[in-house]
Structures are given as C-alpha cells and as structure tokens.
Amino acid sequence: EEASEDEDDGFTTVGKRGKAVQGPVYSAEAINKFLTAYNSTRGRKGTDKKAAIAMLEKLLTYAANPLQKAKVLMALIAALFDDVPAASFMATDKWHKTQNSVNELLSVLESNRQVKVFETAEAHESDDDIKYSGEPISLRGSVIGFVDRLDDEFTKSLQNIDPHTPEYVERMRDTVPLYVTIVRAQHYFERCDLKDSICRIVLRRIEHLYYRTDQVNLHVEAAVADLPSQADSSIIPATAVGNMEAIIHNLCTYLYHNAEPLLRTRAMLMHIFNHALHKRYYVARDLMLMSHIQENVHQADVNTQVLYNRALAQLGLAAFRLGKIQESFDHTVELESSARQRELLAQGVSQQRTQQLSPSEELLQRQRQLPFHININLELLECVFLTSSMLLEIPYMASANANPEARRAPISRVFRRMLDFNERQVFLGPPENTRDYIMASAKALASGDWEAARDNIQEIKIWSLLPDCEEIKQMLAAKIQIEALRTYLFTYSSQFESVGLDDLSAMFGMNKNKIYPLLARMVYNGELQASLDEVSGVLVFNMANFEASSRLQQTALSLSNKVNSFADINERMFELKINGGQVPNERQQGNADHGGRQQGGERDGRQNQQRGGHRDGQRGSNNTGGNQGHHNRKDGGNAGGQRNGGGNRGGGRGRGQRRNNRR
C-alpha cells in the first residue's frame, strides 16, 4: 500500500490554476517540526482531527529511535482521545487502536529503561532527537492519564450497549486485555518509583477484581502471570501468585499505607465487598466497624457513597448465607426502606410519581450507572430482606398480641405494610412472584403451619442465583421450624397450663435436644412466663399467663370500652339539649350570679330613694318651686339608678315614694 501511495499510479495532485501541490515530506529529521505544529493547533476550533491522526500515524513509521517513537506515540494517543465526541463514547475499533498504541508505548518504555515518562518532567523540545544514542532522558507525559481514560471509555461503552444483546458479550471480551494493560502500567510505575501513579493504577486493578469470584479472577490473573515485567513488582510477592485472597489483600494493604484518604476509603470498601462476596462475613464486618467509614460516608463523593451502599448490600447477603438473620436485616433495611434503590446502588433510575427529574439530572444519573455485569440483583436483595423480615416480624407480632403492654412499633415497616395490603385483598390466587411466595409463607407461619411456610419459601426460584442454594434452603427450613415454635408458644401460652416437649417435637419436626435450649433461652430472656421441668420434660406456664386474656377477650374488652365512651357522650349531649346548650353546673352558677345582681340593684334603689327624698325635702323648704323640685327629683332618681347599677326598679321606687311624700 505504501508503494502504491508513493507511485500514485502516475498521477500528480493538482491545486488551483493547475499548479502541482507539493505534499508534506515526512522524515526522521522533520518529526519535531510536525509535532510542534500539531501541538500548536491542538484544541483549536476547525482543526481536522482525523487528518492529524493520519499525519501522526505516518510519522510513527519514520521514527528512528525510542525517543522519537515515544514522543509520537504520546501525541497519537492524545489525538485519538481528542477525536471522541463529548456526549458519546469511543467506538470499538478506535478503542482497539488506542489500546494498541498504549501497549506499544509501554513496550517501548519497558525495552528502553533509560527513557522515562512522568508528569513532572521538563519539556523536551530539542531538535537533536535524531542523534539520540541511549542516554537517560525524561519526557513530560502522563501514562496513568492514558490508562485511566482508556478504562473510562471502556466503561462508557458498556453503559451505552444493551446488556441483553450479543454485542455486550462481545465487548466484555476486551476486559482481560485491558486488565493486562493496567498490570503492565503498574509494573512500569513501580520500576520508576512513581508513588501517586502507583496508587491510582493499583486502585484501577482492584476495581477490575473485587466484584468477581476467585474462580473467575484466577483465569484473569493467568493472563498476566507470564509478563516479562512481572519481576519488577514488589507489591505482590511470588508466594501470593495463584491465591486471589492474598493478591487483593496485598493490593489493598499497599493503598492503606501509601494512598490519600479518598483512595484508601474506596480500597477499604472494595476489600469489604470482596470478603462478603466469598462468605467471609466476620472479616468484612470487622473491617467495616474498625474503619469507621459509616460515620463520615455522607461527606464523601457520590461514587464512594454508591460503593458503600454496595458493600452494605453484599454484607447483608453474606450474613444471610451464614444464617445470621438479624444481621442480614440490619444491613439491608436502610436500602430496602428507600424508594430510590436503583440510584443508591447506581443501577438505574427509579420512576417516581411525585418527583420528575430534569433531562440534565437524568443524564447525570445514567452516567453514574455501573455496567450491567457488576450489578447486584435487586430481586435477590429484596427476597433476602423480606425473608429476614418475615422470620423476625411474625414471632414479634405474636408476642405483642399475647402481651397487650408490649411495644407495638413494627420491626420492619415495609414488610408490615405489604402484609396488611395482602390481608386486605378480597381474592388471592396462587403465588406467582417472590413477594407472593413470601406473603403466603408469612401467613402460614403466623397460623402455625410451618410445613406450608417452608414449602412456599423453597419454591422461590431466585435462590438458585446463590452459589450454595441447597444449604440455604436447609438453613431456611430450620429457621422456619424454630420461629414457628416460638410463634405457637407466644400465641397459645395463655390457653395451656403446661405443654410437653415430646408434643412440641412431634408438632414441629424438631429434635428434643434442640427444643430444650430454645425454650430455656426464651424463659431466661423473659419472653415466656414459664418454667422448665427437666425431669418430666414439661414446660409449665406461670399463673400470670392465665390472667392474660385471649385475642377474643381483648377484642371484647376494647369493644366494651368503646361502647361505654359512646354512652357517656350521648348522655352529655342529651343534658345539653335539655338545658338549652349549657351544662347543668354552669346553669346553676349562672342563676346564682343573676340573683346576686338583682339583690344589688334593690339595695342601690333603696339608697337612691333615701338620698332623693332628703334632697327634695330641703329644696321644698327653701321655696324654690314645685316644678324645679320635681325636675330635680327625676334627675336624682335616674342618676342614682345609673350610678349604682340598681336599674329601673331602683329609680322607679324612688319616684313613687317622693310622689307620696308630696301629697
């Protein structure tokens, strides 16, 4: 192809006015000139990026030494990344070309150890590159930036490809070559002793390992076992090769000692996730508690919070696989109680009626999503949470009904809400999905039918996603037997004076040796007011249980109290109607107040009468005239009535008495 381009089949490129156009002349001596011209036009508007890539690929063929080759490769990789649209992702063929360029750059640096590339080196702009003879030299560049961008573009492509198509599976095949590139970059940074770059590339390596099982990771590690640069690594000793737990532990330990707080926190969460994934629950739990991440995680960035939520979910699954029902519930209740599970785990965008996301917010949420193969199965997580809630909530509800003074707050509001909704349904068909099976099992457990509860739980098909499916089903059957026995004792303890351990063993299919410590623990914790007769093998209930009423008696008492309150209300309403809207006590008090006011008025009238008569007598003796005296008597009577509150009666009596005196 190059020969045909040189010959051009006898044709010559012609420009304006028929003049022959002289194309660029490439040579090893002109490489620096072309690179300087490219760097000066990079990032400008109107720059032909594809022409720049073609020019750099042509220059690469003329590189005469490792120095020129390294400089051209760094410019070519940067140009390939610049050609990616801002709102899209790198096409697969272009990504492969970029990865080959990064691998070629690493090969040049591995085979020519005197050439080093790091970010803090001085710019090398000498025109004497053609005369380079192998002396140590440093170039300014960022190999870790190239690897980070390559990994980010791979993640973007997985986010934008439908995970249920063969294209996604085909794209996943590039995971192992990318991991090999990351490991090669780590070995190069270790050889050059670049601490910051080592921490960043080690974290990238952990991100490709922590969510996989050891069986898968061993196949991935086999691809890097034969690398020539494997001897340069001091982080992973030769004794750890082939042991994935030791490899991940050494990688995380390096970050614990050398990385900044953010990288250290992310490495800790990934380490916890990996321990929980492999059923090492106690190690993961202790690591979480000793790190105190939960105290400051709300101040971290969004990606770290997502990683914390994933670690919590995996801890809940690990506790459930070990039969730690209470611990599993504690780890998953916060996630399952939220309506935004997908956003919290970065696995999609939840459709909410009350809140509508803007296009920019929705785009941001989708950019944070993890690739499909990393996701935690939300249906499995919900099944584990509801099963744990059932085993805790049903005995608690039975104990609350047996003891009216017990605390009524539910343990799991989500489960209680689902159970209430299921009980309100008029018609219930056979179970169809995971929730239906768990609700049916909860009803059977509450009624004491432990076999039906066990069968419904074991019918759930999603248990097959767990690696130890049969062990989990056997564990659940044993847990259901225990909780059914506890529910039965809570419900019917007020109906029996005693119950034999042999009868309980026959009813619930449990060995007598398992029933005895269970009953002893319930008695010791105060859950049952009873005593164990070890000789006769009988559980004897105390007399306090007989005072506790049955459920029917409790309902009758509550109904009686409500009827009594209704009768009191009706009597009060009847009295108000008879007394004109006043309570009898208030009416009697009002009458007393009215009588007091009348007596006060009579006293005031008598006083006015006396004062008015005295004044009239004086005025009559002074011969001031009958009309004037009559006028004064009226004023005196009215004034006396108004001043002393005696009313018209007082004033009227005063005037009548004065008329009699005048006559």
Side-chain angles (χ1 to χ4, degrees):
E1 292 180 359
E2 293 180 359
S4 61
E5 289 178 1
D6 293 338
E7 295 174 359
D8 287 334
D9 294 333
F11 293 96
T12 304
T13 304
V14 178
K16 294 181 179 180
R17 299 178 183 178
K19 295 182 179 180
V21 178
Q22 182 67 32
V25 178
Y26 298 105
S27 63
E29 293 79 4
I31 285 180
N32 280 338
K33 181 182 70 173
F34 282 108
L35 290 178
T36 303
Y38 165 72
N39 291 329
S40 63
T41 59
R42 182 187 175 191
R44 292 184 181 180
K45 187 177 180 180
T47 303
D48 191 353
K49 298 177 181 178
K50 298 187 182 301
I53 292 173
M55 181 265 293
L56 292 171
E57 289 176 346
K58 190 75 174 177
L59 282 178
L60 187 59
T61 61
Y62 288 93
N65 52 52
L67 177 61
Q68 288 185 333
K69 198 167 186 179
K71 294 174 71 174
V72 174
L73 281 172
M74 287 191 293
L76 177 60
I77 294 170
L80 289 171
F81 284 132
D82 291 342
D83 195 28
V84 180
S88 182
F89 62 96
M90 182 178 284
T92 304
D93 55 346
K94 189 177 293 184
W95 187 88
H96 285 144
K97 184 187 294 186
T98 308
Q99 186 193 22
N100 293 334
S101 300
V102 173
N103 287 332
E104 189 173 357
L105 175 62
L106 289 173
S107 298
V108 171
L109 297 177
E110 288 170 357
S111 58
N112 301 274
R113 300 197 172 192
Q114 71 277 9
V115 179
K116 296 183 179 181
V117 178
F118 51 93
E119 298 173 355
T120 57
E122 296 182 359
H124 186 271
E125 298 178 354
S126 175
D127 295 334
D128 298 333
D129 292 346
I130 190 67
K131 300 179 182 180
Y132 177 72
S133 58
E135 61 271 11
I137 192 170
S138 299
L139 300 177
R140 179 182 294 178
S142 179
V143 179
I144 182 62
F146 294 152
V147 178
D148 284 347
R149 182 69 184 276
L150 189 68
D151 192 17
D152 291 340
E153 292 296 336
F154 177 72
T155 304
K156 285 183 182 179
S157 65
L158 291 177
Q159 290 174 344
N160 289 272
I161 297 175
D162 186 0
H164 305 291
T165 59
E167 184 182 1
Y168 190 90
V169 179
E170 187 70 23
R171 192 74 177 97
M172 280 291 297
R173 295 181 179 178
D174 296 326
T175 305
V176 176
L178 176 60
Y179 181 76
V180 173
T181 303
I182 291 173
V183 175
R184 292 180 64 186
Q186 176 194 332
H187 295 165
Y188 169 72
F189 295 142
E190 287 187 66
R191 179 167 55 84
C192 297
D193 196 21
L194 304 175
K195 293 291 185 182
D196 293 339
S197 298
I198 294 174
C199 293
R200 291 169 60 183
I201 202 67
V202 165
L203 185 67
R204 288 279 176 178
R205 184 173 180 180
I206 298 173
E207 288 177 351
H208 282 262
L209 295 175
Y210 83 98
Y211 63 89
R212 297 193 185 110
T213 60
D214 288 346
Q215 293 81 5
V216 179
N217 283 333
L218 286 174
H219 291 286
V220 176
E221 282 291 328
V224 301
D226 299 331
L227 288 176
S229 58
Q230 185 70 30
D232 296 332
S233 178
S234 59
I235 298 177
I236 301 177
T239 56
V241 176
N243 186 355
M244 286 310 305
E245 182 181 356
I247 290 175
I248 294 178
H249 175 77
N250 289 332
L251 293 173
C252 293
T253 303
Y254 180 84
L255 293 180
Y256 298 157
H257 291 95
N258 300 283
E260 59 183 9
L262 177 61
L263 301 184
R264 197 161 57 237
T265 301
R266 293 182 62 84
M268 180 78 69
L269 291 172
M270 294 179 191
H271 203 184
I272 292 169
F273 188 98
N274 187 261
H275 279 308
L277 181 65
H278 293 90
K279 212 174 176 179
R280 297 188 289 267
Y281 169 72
Y282 295 105
V283 179
R285 182 200 61 184
D286 295 343
L287 198 59
M288 173 74 80
L289 295 177
M290 289 188 296
S291 63
H292 299 283
I293 296 176
Q294 63 275 12
E295 298 177 1
N296 301 316
V297 70
H298 61 279
Q299 300 176 356
D301 61 307
V302 177
N303 293 329
T304 305
Q305 292 182 12
V306 168
L307 197 55
Y308 174 77
N309 294 333
R310 286 171 54 81
L312 272 185
Q314 198 63 47
L315 272 173
L317 294 176
F320 186 82
R321 291 168 61 186
L322 291 175
K324 303 293 181 181
I325 302 300
Q326 182 65 55
E327 289 81 356
S328 176
F329 174 81
D330 293 338
H331 290 311
T332 56
V333 62
E334 189 174 356
L335 282 174
E336 291 297 325
S337 300
S338 173
R340 302 173 59 249
Q341 299 172 18
R342 295 182 180 275
E343 288 88 343
L344 293 176
L345 295 173
Q347 296 183 189
V349 180
S350 301
Q351 298 295 332
Q352 299 182 4
R353 298 179 181 177
T354 58
Q355 182 181 4
Q356 295 293 334
L357 296 177
S358 62
S360 59
E361 292 176 346
E362 187 174 356
L363 178 62
L364 186 62
Q365 289 286 352
R366 295 192 182 280
Q367 289 176 351
R368 292 172 181 164
Q369 289 183 18
L370 298 174
F372 181 76
H373 66 282
I374 304 179
N375 290 353
I376 297 174
N377 193 304
L378 293 179
E379 187 179 357
L380 176 62
L381 188 62
E382 183 187 33
C383 180
V384 167
F385 169 73
L386 291 179
T387 305
S388 302
S389 301
M390 178 193 72
L391 294 174
L392 296 174
E393 188 73 33
I394 297 300
Y396 174 76
M397 292 170 60
S399 64
N401 291 332
N403 185 8
E405 298 179 358
R407 184 169 56 92
R408 294 286 181 172
I411 296 176
S412 173
R413 296 183 183 275
V414 177
F415 176 81
R416 186 73 70 90
R417 195 182 307 119
M418 289 183 183
L419 186 60
D420 292 342
F421 177 78
N422 187 272
E423 290 178 347
R424 288 196 301 267
Q425 298 300 311
V426 179
F427 174 75
L428 288 176
E432 296 180 356
N433 52 31
T434 302
R435 288 188 181 181
D436 292 345
Y437 277 111
I438 294 177
M439 292 300 110
S441 178
K443 288 183 178 181
L445 185 61
S447 62
D449 190 358
W450 69 273
E451 293 179 342
R454 177 200 60 191
D455 295 339
N456 284 321
I457 285 293
Q458 292 184 349
E459 284 292 329
I460 299 175
K461 297 180 180 179
I462 204 168
W463 299 128
S464 59
L465 297 180
L466 294 174
D468 42 4
C469 173
E470 294 301 324
E471 295 180 8
I472 290 176
K473 288 184 178 181
Q474 294 175 6
M475 178 270 295
L476 287 175
K479 292 289 183 182
I480 288 174
Q481 286 178 320
I482 294 173
E483 299 305 328
L485 173 58
R486 296 179 72 243
T487 304
Y488 178 82
L489 292 176
F490 286 140
T491 305
Y492 300 107
S493 60
S494 61
Q495 310 299 326
F496 296 102
E497 294 183 0
S498 62
V499 60
L501 271 62
D502 294 332
D503 297 334
L504 294 177
S505 176
M507 289 174 62
F508 296 98
M510 296 175 63
N511 191 354
K512 188 176 178 180
N513 295 331
K514 294 182 179 179
I515 292 179
Y516 185 84
L518 174 62
L519 297 179
R521 186 167 60 250
M522 293 177 68
V523 171
Y524 179 78
N525 294 333
E527 297 176 342
L528 283 179
Q529 300 297 326
S531 59
L532 270 171
D533 189 348
E534 188 175 0
V535 177
S536 58
V538 173
L539 178 68
V540 181
F541 295 102
N542 296 342
M543 295 301 295
N545 289 316
F546 305 134
E547 299 176 1
S549 57
S550 64
R551 192 177 305 174
L552 177 61
Q553 292 171 338
Q554 294 176 18
T555 307
L557 288 175
S558 63
L559 180 61
S560 176
N561 293 332
K562 291 180 180 179
V563 169
N564 290 332
S565 64
F566 287 151
D568 293 339
I569 294 172
N570 288 336
E571 289 178 359
R572 292 178 184 176
M573 294 297 295
F574 183 71
E575 291 176 355
L576 288 174
K577 185 176 180 181
I578 292 176
N579 298 323
Q582 291 185 352
V583 180
N585 295 333
E586 295 179 357
R587 184 171 182 179
Q588 294 175 2
Q589 184 178 0
N591 293 336
D593 295 340
H594 184 64
R597 286 195 297 270
Q598 288 180 348
Q599 294 175 2
E602 293 177 356
R603 287 194 298 270
D604 293 339
R606 295 192 189 99
Q607 292 175 2
N608 291 333
Q609 180 182 6
Q610 293 175 359
R611 285 197 297 270
H614 183 66
R615 285 197 298 269
D616 289 342
Q618 289 179 352
R619 293 190 186 99
S621 63
N622 291 329
N623 296 321
T624 57
N627 293 331
Q628 186 177 1
H630 180 70
H631 178 73
N632 290 333
R633 282 195 300 272
K634 289 182 179 180
D635 292 341
N638 290 331
Q642 290 177 358
R643 281 195 306 270
N644 299 313
N648 294 327
R649 290 185 179 181
R653 289 182 179 179
R655 287 194 298 271
Q657 186 67 30
R658 285 194 293 272
R659 290 193 191 99
N660 294 330
N661 292 334
R662 216 171 31 246
R663 289 173 187 169

